[in-house]
Amino acid sequence: MSLDLFFANLFSPPILFFILGITATLVRSDLEVPAPLPKLFSLYLLWAIGFKGGVALREAGLTVDALTPVVAAVLLSGALALLGFLVFRRLFGFDDACALAASYGSVSVVTFVTAADFLDGRGIEYGGQMVAALALMESPPIIVALILKRLIGPGGAEAEPISAIVRGAVTSGPVFLLMGSLVAGLLTPEAALEPLKPFTYDIFAGVLVFFLLEAGMTSGQRLGELRKQGLPTIGLGIAIPIVNAAIGMGVAYLIGLGKGEALLLTILAGSASYIAVPAAMRLAVPNANSGLYLPMSLGVTFPFNVCIGIPVYLILIQAIWPEAAASP
């Protein structure tokens, strides 16, 4: 196995600026990204990846082959949340186990975007259905955590109604924009795409660089909270994503995904939510320790995935997958 992909990712501009952001926090630099910009970057990335995914999905056609990975991804996210709960329940209290299970069953949009950009840089194609998979994987783990909380957890009867939390997860800004952009890409005729190409393609990498710079600074700020949890918790923030990614890779192999889609499903399975899930858990499981599940997902799992996980998983996929398994 060649390590060229690993070093290509590590020394790519988005990852270098992510590391720069962490370093700026560690050395206590006064570097900052003005408050409105990170939100604007987030909105742009969600719109661009959703819109491009919709266009790609329209070009591929809404066939059984195209929709199979979407269904598999949704089922996978719910199963990972349930498996995660069984593990976390042995190590933490019930509420913390629910929140961690939801976090590690759900997905990170930025990790997906970084992986997609990595594939684009390598010239490896992937289908637009993976964007739909990304959006639809967000909610099932939250639903699983809420059902566990209400059915077997202490104080479940007083928890926020499941219907309200599920509706909030589905209509939350990131998921709503992502799915809306996907639909817009599906419906936009080919002739109307040309004026948007400078926005959907040309500036994408530059915006991602600035977004990951700010994400690195935010991740660095969480490192102090992780020190309080100790090394075992940090190790868990790496071990669980590796196991989840291995399961995702196995599912991708079984359903016959191409290498590009396989990497995206693998990294989605191995990622952890630090946006939608914390927002839902604050309402549904208020006693869960946000100083545990948020630093683990943002301070450990996210940096591990974008710096190490993405290239290593692709190396493994290229070694395991038959040569004929190319993305459409």
Side-chain angles (χ1 to χ4, degrees):
M1 283 191 302
S2 173
L3 293 180
D4 290 347
L5 288 174
F6 173 78
F7 289 110
N9 180 68
L10 188 61
F11 297 118
S12 67
I15 303 306
L16 288 173
F17 277 89
F18 176 76
I19 296 172
L20 179 64
I22 294 178
T23 304
T25 302
L26 295 178
V27 301
R28 299 181 181 179
S29 169
D30 60 357
L31 175 68
E32 65 175 341
V33 178
L37 291 181
K39 185 173 182 179
L40 178 61
F41 296 155
S42 299
L43 292 173
Y44 166 78
L45 292 173
L46 288 167
W47 167 76
I49 198 70
F51 189 80
K52 289 192 292 183
V55 172
L57 188 57
R58 174 173 57 78
E59 293 174 347
L62 296 174
T63 63
V64 173
D65 288 342
L67 296 178
T68 295
V70 178
V71 175
V74 172
L75 296 176
L76 176 64
S77 65
L80 289 178
L82 186 56
L83 290 173
F85 175 79
L86 297 177
V87 173
F88 292 127
R89 185 68 183 92
R90 294 176 175 272
L91 303 172
F92 304 100
F94 185 89
D95 286 353
D96 287 340
C98 284
L100 285 165
S103 295
Y104 282 88
S106 192
V107 295
S108 162
V109 174
V110 182
T111 306
F112 178 91
V113 171
T114 306
D117 183 69
F118 180 70
L119 289 173
D120 291 338
R122 312 277 81 74
I124 301 174
E125 297 181 356
Y126 54 90
Q129 68 269 29
M130 298 311 299
V131 180
L134 161 69
L136 294 175
M137 287 177 77
E138 189 94 59
S139 299
I142 297 175
I143 296 171
V144 169
L146 294 177
I147 291 174
L148 291 169
K149 172 67 176 175
R150 291 185 65 85
L151 292 182
I152 62 176
E158 291 79 26
E160 188 83 6
I162 291 180
S163 59
I165 298 297
V166 172
R167 181 182 181 279
V170 173
T171 60
S172 66
V175 175
F176 190 78
L177 177 59
L178 190 65
M179 288 302 295
S181 299
L182 180 77
V183 173
L186 270 170
L187 299 177
T188 301
E190 187 69 29
L193 295 176
E194 192 64 31
L196 290 175
K197 285 185 178 178
F199 298 97
T200 51
Y201 294 96
D202 295 349
I203 69 170
F204 186 89
V207 174
L208 182 60
V209 162
F210 275 102
F211 183 83
L212 286 178
L213 171 66
E214 195 275 336
M217 295 165 64
T218 303
S219 298
Q221 292 166 1
R222 296 291 179 183
L223 295 178
E225 299 176 37
L226 283 170
R227 295 192 190 100
K228 301 176 184 177
Q229 301 296 337
L231 288 177
T233 300
I234 296 174
L236 196 64
I238 296 175
I240 292 294
I242 291 176
V243 172
N244 287 354
I247 295 172
M249 192 181 297
V251 171
Y253 188 87
L254 288 175
I255 63 177
L257 293 185
K259 294 178 182 179
E261 289 90 354
L263 175 65
L264 293 177
L265 184 60
T266 298
I267 203 65
L268 283 173
S271 67
S273 172
Y274 53 84
I275 299 175
V277 168
M281 291 301 103
R282 288 190 191 103
L283 294 175
V285 194
N287 293 326
N289 180 13
S290 61
L292 174 65
Y293 61 83
L294 187 55
M296 275 182 63
S297 60
L298 183 57
V300 178
T301 302
F302 177 66
F304 171 78
N305 277 331
V306 299
C307 294
I308 299 174
I310 292 171
V312 170
Y313 297 147
L314 184 57
I315 290 171
L316 291 173
I317 288 168
Q318 291 184 329
I320 297 170
W321 257 241
E323 284 302 317
S327 298

